[in-house]
Amino acid sequence: MTHDNTSTRRRCAFLTLADPTGFVIDDDLAREPLAALGWDVQSVPWRPAAVDWSLYDAVVIRSTWDYTDDPEAFMQTLAQIERSGVPLFNSLETVRWNLRKTYLRELAALGVALVPTLWRERLQPGGLGALFTALGVDEIVVKPVVGANASGAFRLDRAGARARASEVEAWYADRALMAQPFVPAVTAEGEFSLFYFNGACSHAVLKTPKPADFRVQEEHGGEIRAINPAAALRAAGDRVMAALAARPLRALAGTPLYARVDLVRASDGSGFWLMELELIEPALYFRLATGAAARFAAALDRVVASSGRD
């Protein structure tokens, strides 16, 4: 239903970064379907000088892709929004849980298949080589427990680890990390992403890295294309969402407005491994899937109405 009475229009803030240079952002594609539902959307940097959040009817975390530079300040902004009483999506409780990739251990305990992973609070000098031994492989990926956009991710074989040991160990001297075997399917086939709006699967994409790289993000030259997910892939995504619904977060924060499930074909032939469950600021690739922006708009409209804020 289209709302023509401007006096009843609602205001939504899309949280973003102050400088979008070099990033591919398509959140504006949701403006028109939201406008048809009576919403006016404003993009607001998450580092505002001063914002009266109570003027909005909803705040949605979108392209805040520099928050890892100062996660404490980011969380303070989200806390201010929640204290204002405005519905925040996804919720502060959800963000707190999803901020550190250790959430993957909780999902694994609920039966979700993950890439085999080692967790370390930091790397001591000379400690990089021990990761290969512990994982029993000759090629690994090391990445931060708090991170985004592949920042701080290293793909290393044993020779490369010896050559770059000082660089990697310095980077992780005071950062928590996770180490995983390199999964050949990432470069041979790509990484799959399934998108869920208010718990319902909306669309899927396949992300493939450029030649001689393993990072699938567009900012690193990755190619993204829409796919129709096969039944086994869809079932793997649904299992992740079911595990999310089974944990205490479900009772505390409800179903997330948006979720992106990143999967890769398992090296052991068992199906698919979860790489990430993105609940904070995932790119949603509206431009690649007909109707995706409209489905997102409808999900937001419904969830705000159910909150009593309509």
Side-chain angles (χ1 to χ4, degrees), residues 33 197 201-203 257 286 289-302:
F197 299 150
C201 189
S202 167
H203 58 291
L257 170 64
F286 292 142
T290 301
R295 289 189 289 274
F296 174 82
L300 174 60
D301 191 61
R302 284 194 302 270

Side-chain angles (χ1 to χ4, degrees), residues 19-177:
D19 182 7
T21 304
F23 292 98
V24 181
I25 302 173
D26 61 3
D27 294 329
D28 281 350
L29 295 176
R31 289 177 182 269
E32 185 175 337
L34 279 168
L37 294 170
W39 288 90
D40 293 323
V41 177
Q42 179 183 0
S43 294
V44 180
W46 71 266
R47 293 180 181 269
V51 175
D52 184 354
W53 298 110
S54 67
L55 296 176
Y56 294 96
D57 297 283
V59 177
V60 183
I61 307 167
R62 290 308 317 123
S63 49
T64 58
W65 295 330
D66 59 346
Y67 82 87
T68 54
D69 295 338
D70 194 348
E72 183 176 346
F74 180 64
M75 296 302 289
Q76 288 173 353
T77 294
L78 300 189
Q80 290 171 1
I81 295 168
E82 284 226 334
R83 284 196 298 270
S84 76
V86 176
L88 172 66
F89 306 103
N90 286 325
S91 71
L92 179 60
E93 183 72 21
T94 299
V95 173
R96 282 198 185 108
W97 179 75
N98 199 229
L99 185 68
R100 290 177 59 86
K101 292 183 175 63
T102 47
Y103 72 82
L104 291 166
R105 291 189 293 199
E106 294 186 47
L107 293 174
L110 292 167
V112 173
L114 306 181
V115 180
T117 304
L118 292 178
W119 306 88
R120 299 288 186 269
E121 286 303 311
R122 61 187 56 82
L123 268 183
Q124 302 289 347
L128 182 59
L131 299 178
F132 290 87
T133 303
L135 288 168
V137 296
D138 293 322
E139 191 171 12
I140 64 172
V141 173
V142 180
K143 50 191 175 183
V145 167
V146 178
N149 200 36
S151 176
F154 297 88
R155 176 185 172 186
L156 303 161
D157 58 18
R158 290 182 182 270
R162 286 191 292 270
R164 302 182 68 184
S166 59
E167 174 192 0
V168 177
E169 289 167 3
W171 213 91
Y172 286 105
D174 57 357
R175 289 184 177 94
L177 65 129

Side-chain angles (χ1 to χ4, degrees), residues 176-200:
L177 65 129
M178 52 195 295
Q180 300 172 325
F182 174 70
V183 181
V186 171
T187 51
E189 182 179 29
E191 182 180 296
F192 300 94
S193 290
L194 280 71
F195 301 86
Y196 292 78
F197 299 150
N198 202 22

